[in-house]
């Protein structure tokens, strides 16, 4: 599909849209790159897509060019709204522009249909928080998420057990969905260039019977275990155990793990077993 809009640099100059460091903004203006990112969402002809923090609309144009049935744009920086409304006017009936905060918006209230996807070049300062929000959604409302993060965050999402980047984020993410790093993007591709590389991660929810749904418990035990990752589980789980009627050793034994093991050697299933043991040992409230 031919893009009917003027070059992005012209739009940015005309609307005086300088990136704000306080919002973690870095613009991706290369439409070949944004088209590649949008392609990872697969066939969107029957999809309602949502983009958080579209900025001047580089990825936005690619999503529409990929024939998404409808696209909801959520932008909290009001400076970008006129430029986004121009995109909406160029694609009549296919775009909804909302001035809102992606951290608080109820996506299911503003999206329609059963095939819903998320595509975003996430602001660096809230990317992880947004990911956790979407992972915690019950039921999971999205078919696929194609998200750009700082390379360091992407590495943590896809890290295997035993890797130095393996930790809480990998366990929480992959207890809900599969995760694959599909594209690396150099800092020079952005305006202004950040100090770090970025990467695109593709997330697909696991089947219902394979998803671990108690992310609150999982978050508690992983925060405790990796908060002191050089210590053995017997010692590092003390904080999580203090919220239960059990000792660290009791929780570890119930999960079928070794008390002398360290967090980075425990696979995702092992942490899920720890979370289940932690939940079972919580005091009953009357």
């Amino acid at each position: 599909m031919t893009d009917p809009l003027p070059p992005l640099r012209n739009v940015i100059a005309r609307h005086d849209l300088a990136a704000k460091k306080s919002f973690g903004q870095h613009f991706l203006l290369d439409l070949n790159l944004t088209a590649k990112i949008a392609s990872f969402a697969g066939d969107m002809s029957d999809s309602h897509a949502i983009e958080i923090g579209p900025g001047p609309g580089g990825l936005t144009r690619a999503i529409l060019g990929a024939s998404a049935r409808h696209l909801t744009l959520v932008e909290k920086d009001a400076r970008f709204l006129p430029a986004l409304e121009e995109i909406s006017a160029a694609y009549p009936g296919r775009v909804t522009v909302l001035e809102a905060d992606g951290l608080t918006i109820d996506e299911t209230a503003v999206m329609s249909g059963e095939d819903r996807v998320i595509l975003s070049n996430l602001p660096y300062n809230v990317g992880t928080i947004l990911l956790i929000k979407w992972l915690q959604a019950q039921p999971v409302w999205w078919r696929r998420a194609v998200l750009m993060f700082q390379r360091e965050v992407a590495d943590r999402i896809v890290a295997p057990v035993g890797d130095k980047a393996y930790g809480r984020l990998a366990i929480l993410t992959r207890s809900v969905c599969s995760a694959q790093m599909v594209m690396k993007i150099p800092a020079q591709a952005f305006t202004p260039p950040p100090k770090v590389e970025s990467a695109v991660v593709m997330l697909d929810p696991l089947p219902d019977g394979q998803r671990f749904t108690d992310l609150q418990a999982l978050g508690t035990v992983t925060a405790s275990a990796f908060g002191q990752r050089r210590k053995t589980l017997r010692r590092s789980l003390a904080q999580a155990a203090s919220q239960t009627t059990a000792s660290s050793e009791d929780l570890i034994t119930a999960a079928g793990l070794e008390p002398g093991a360290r967090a980075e050697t425990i696979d995702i299933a092992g942490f899920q077993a720890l979370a289940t043991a932690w939940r079972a040992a919580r005091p009953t409230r009357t």
Side-chain angles (χ1 to χ4, degrees):
M1 180 181 294
T2 303
D3 187 344
L5 293 155
L8 275 168
R9 292 187 185 278
N10 293 3
V11 174
I12 290 171
R14 179 158 46 87
H15 292 283
D16 193 21
L17 299 176
K20 281 191 176 180
K21 186 176 181 180
S22 61
F23 283 1
Q25 293 172 343
H26 300 277
F27 305 149
L28 190 58
L29 307 183
D30 186 330
L31 296 183
N32 291 320
L33 280 177
T34 57
K36 178 67 173 176
I37 294 167
S39 73
F40 291 118
D43 181 6
M44 289 192 286
S45 58
D46 195 37
S47 301
H48 191 148
I50 190 167
E51 182 185 2
I52 307 298
L59 181 57
T60 305
R61 296 187 187 197
I63 297 168
L64 292 164
S67 300
R69 175 178 62 82
H70 198 85
L71 174 60
T72 293
L73 304 173
V74 180
E75 180 57 69
K76 69 179 291 185
D77 188 342
R79 297 178 305 140
F80 294 109
L81 298 181
L84 296 176
E85 290 293 354
E86 289 175 3
I87 296 176
S88 179
Y91 293 89
R94 293 180 57 199
V95 181
T96 300
V97 180
L98 300 176
E99 182 180 1
D101 188 339
L103 293 174
T104 57
I105 194 169
D106 178 358
E107 294 89 350
T108 61
V110 298
M111 300 178 75
S112 61
E114 296 183 0
D115 186 3
R116 294 178 284 194
V117 296
I118 311 169
L119 298 101
S120 287
N121 170 16
L122 294 174
Y124 281 177
N125 55 352
V126 294
T128 302
I129 302 171
L130 282 166
L131 172 60
I132 298 299
K133 174 192 176 186
W134 294 324
L135 294 175
Q136 290 175 331
Q138 292 191 39
V140 175
W141 53 264
W142 43 278
R143 166 180 63 83
R144 173 169 290 177
V146 179
L147 306 174
M148 192 188 311
F149 298 93
Q150 290 173 263
R151 172 69 186 277
E152 177 188 0
V153 175
D155 285 339
R156 287 164 50 204
I157 291 170
V158 303
V161 61
D163 190 273
K164 66 179 182 179
Y166 177 73
R168 184 170 181 263
L169 193 56
I171 295 162
L172 291 174
T173 301
R174 302 210 306 275
S175 288
V176 175
C177 53
S178 63
Q180 181 182 358
M181 189 187 300
V182 293
M183 192 175 181
K184 299 170 186 175
I185 302 177
Q188 293 74 21
F190 294 87
T191 301
K195 295 180 180 180
V196 295
E197 289 186 342
S198 297
V200 178
V201 177
M202 184 173 72
L203 306 172
D204 290 321
L206 297 170
D208 288 346
Q210 297 179 28
R211 287 198 299 271
F212 189 80
T213 58
D214 193 350
L215 290 196
Q216 194 264 333
L218 192 59
T220 297
V221 297
T222 52
S224 184
F226 287 98
Q228 303 179 76
R229 63 188 302 152
R230 292 187 179 183
K231 295 184 178 181
T232 63
L233 288 179
R234 182 186 291 111
R235 299 182 64 187
S236 65
L237 283 174
Q239 182 178 0
S242 69
Q243 302 174 43
T244 73
T245 58
S247 66
S248 296
E249 195 120 9
D250 292 335
L251 296 177
I252 296 164
T253 300
L257 303 175
E258 291 294 327
R262 287 181 168 79
E264 66 267 20
T265 68
I266 306 301
D267 64 14
I268 293 172
F271 274 105
Q272 291 172 353
L274 266 177
T276 299
W278 180 87
R279 177 64 68 190
R282 290 277 284 167
T284 302
R285 293 185 178 181
T286 57

